[in-house]
Amino acid sequence: NAGVMQNPRHLVRRRGQEARLRCSPMKGHSHVYWYRQLPEEGLKFMVYLQKENIIDESGMPKERFSAEFPKEGPSILRIQQVVRGDSAAYFCASSPPESEAYGYTFGSGTRLTVV
Amino acid sequence: TQLLEQSPQFLSIQEGENLTVYCNSSSVFSSLQWYRQEPGEGPVLLVTVVTGGEVKKLKRLTFQFGDARKDSSLHITAAQPGDTGLYLCAGRRDSNYQLIWGAGTKLIIKP
């Protein structure tokens, strides 16, 4: 397992279209986190998921945004009816379920550009 | 309100100089981590500190966790251009798996 895999690396969408961002966590990691980052800024938490469960979605806008982590397959962050303000880098991270000594392993991100 | 305050926000120094960046909070953390992020990539974990007063060294990088577990520092000796990046601290509170993130220190090392 090469680590956390995110695809696509770059995604261009027109206003009003849907964006689907995928994240495959590291093998053995059952916790997935999605973050958003604007240029020159830190990470903004969006949502925390475990397999088939959303644990905390307090950082995710109530409208247009949704996330899932199904029993099989990658985690998906879905943005409906994208607007220019959705343009950002979206990072996924995963961690194992045990021990706070473990940090997060991040993917390389998906850079979403809304035109 | 930022639970973890990083300072400075931006630092640009010459190669060979030493520097320290800080991560401060009024809250107690059970552990704290430092990450480095390079342009176009995701953050990469550098170190986790767990015990109050703990000091960890990673080559030219020295990480310290405050005695009260409310703050941490990262000291870089003889900085090199390869140290350039965004340095992020993140802390865990109690048994919550989620991390609380600082806003980052952008470090530029000029050759």
Side-chain angles (χ1 to χ4, degrees):
Chain A
N1 189 321
V4 176
M5 304 302 293
Q6 287 190 251
N7 66 82
R9 283 296 299 267
H10 300 275
L11 182 62
V12 179
R13 284 287 178 265
R14 295 187 183 279
R15 281 179 294 171
Q17 290 184 321
E18 178 180 286
R20 281 191 179 227
L21 288 62
R22 294 174 185 77
C23 169
S24 296
M26 279 191 71
K27 186 176 180 180
H29 287 194
S30 58
H31 296 208
V32 167
Y33 311 82
W34 284 93
Y35 289 85
R36 169 189 159 108
Q37 187 177 41
L38 293 172
E40 308 299 319
E41 293 189 10
L43 297 169
K44 299 295 184 189
F45 168 77
M46 296 183 72
V47 62
Y48 162 36
L49 309 105
Q50 295 178 19
K51 281 285 187 183
E52 299 185 279
N53 284 307
I54 297 174
I55 307 302
D56 182 352
E57 56 183 347
S58 60
M60 196 161 65
K62 295 277 189 290
E63 296 182 0
R64 302 190 298 108
F65 285 74
S66 62
E68 62 177 6
F69 188 16
K71 186 176 180 180
E72 301 290 338
S75 175
I76 305 287
L77 177 66
R78 182 181 178 206
I79 311 173
Q80 294 178 290
Q81 299 174 331
V82 296
V83 301
R84 288 231 171 96
D86 297 331
S87 295
Y90 292 84
F91 288 97
C92 167
S94 70
S95 71
E98 71 281 359
S99 178
E100 61 186 39
Y102 287 94
Y104 290 7
T105 302
F106 281 84
S108 296
T110 293
R111 278 141 194 86
L112 173 66
T113 302
V114 179
V115 297
Chain B
T1 302
Q2 193 75 32
L3 284 178
L4 274 172
E5 298 282 348
Q6 287 193 242
S7 62
Q9 289 183 297
F10 178 79
L11 184 59
S12 179
I13 62 172
Q14 291 294 137
E15 181 177 3
E17 294 183 14
N18 302 331
L19 67 109
T20 303
V21 298
Y22 300 92
C23 179
N24 296 310
S25 177
S26 58
S27 301
V28 175
F29 291 93
S30 55
S31 66
L32 196 137
Q33 299 170 353
W34 285 91
Y35 292 77
R36 184 172 77 201
Q37 184 181 20
E38 297 185 17
E41 296 297 329
V44 175
L45 177 67
L46 297 174
V47 77
T48 299
V49 285
V50 179
T51 306
E54 183 176 2
V55 176
K56 281 191 174 179
K57 293 195 175 189
L58 188 66
K59 296 183 180 178
R60 295 176 294 100
L61 278 60
T62 301
F63 303 86
Q64 186 163 9
F65 200 12
D67 290 341
R69 291 185 289 133
K70 292 182 179 181
D71 53 82
S72 181
S73 63
L74 158 59
H75 182 79
I76 301 179
T77 304
Q80 299 178 2
D83 296 327
T84 292
L86 179 67
Y87 288 81
L88 296 157
C89 67
R92 271 204 180 92
R93 298 176 68 183
D94 302 320
S95 60
N96 192 326
Y97 290 122
Q98 293 191 62
L99 289 174
I100 296 170
W101 292 84
T105 293
K106 184 171 182 180
L107 176 63
I108 295 176
I109 310 300
K110 295 176 285 188

